[in-house]
């Protein structure tokens, strides 16, 4: 059985595949920066009550599978990740690597939902209809 997370009135499992690139797709993510980006992104995700399920840093792009609560918009979390990580990169590595905070990451990003298989959802809905019919019959018999 799948484990769901909880908020006060919600059970949820919202995961997103996110990809973003450095400005002009330059191969800037390497060496010490590459090793420290993981911990930077994990810390920033926890600020938005999110978590990185899986991530991979390539020299010219970042892949992340993010689990984001439904109370946050994906764009807010990804924008926060990109903005704060760019500032952190500029502060830690800016002088020796010629990085500047506001222009490290390119403007856009790719996002795709990672969810249940469509057939599984259809089967679940089908079973729910059957369960509702059984419940209605039980109420009539009482």
């Amino acid at each position: 059985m799948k484990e769901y997370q909880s908020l006060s009135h919600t059970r949820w499992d919202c995961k997103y595949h996110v990809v973003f690139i450095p400005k002009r797709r330059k191969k800037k993510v390497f060496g010490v920066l590459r090793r420290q980006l993981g911990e930077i992104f994990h810390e920033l995700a926890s600020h938005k009550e999110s978590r990185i399920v899986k991530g991979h840093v390539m020299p010219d792009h970042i892949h992340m599978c993010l689990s984001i609560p439904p109370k946050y918009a994906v764009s807010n979390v990804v924008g926060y990740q990109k903005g704060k990580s760019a500032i952190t990169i500029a502060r830690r590595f800016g002088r020796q690597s010629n990085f500047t905070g506001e222009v490290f990451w390119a403007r856009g990003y790719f996002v795709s939902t990672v969810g249940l298989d469509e057939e599984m959802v259809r089967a679940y809905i089908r079973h729910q209809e059957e369960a509702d019919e059984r419940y209605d019959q039980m109420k009539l018999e009482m």
Side-chain angles (χ1 to χ4, degrees), residues 40-51:
I40 291 169
F41 285 132
H42 280 284
E43 181 183 338
L44 292 173
S46 68
H47 292 178
K48 293 288 186 178
E49 300 173 43
S50 303
R51 68 183 175 87

Side-chain angles (χ1 to χ4, degrees), residues 72-109:
Y72 292 111
V74 177
S75 59
N76 289 347
V77 175
V78 174
Y80 182 81
Q81 289 258 344
K82 287 173 63 177
K84 294 297 184 181
S85 66
I87 292 168
T88 304
I89 290 166
R91 287 183 181 160
R92 289 189 190 173
F93 304 101
R95 287 182 176 49
Q96 66 265 29
S97 300
N98 197 21
F99 294 149
T100 57
E102 288 109 28
V103 293
F104 188 82
W105 301 114
R107 277 175 75 187
Y109 62 92

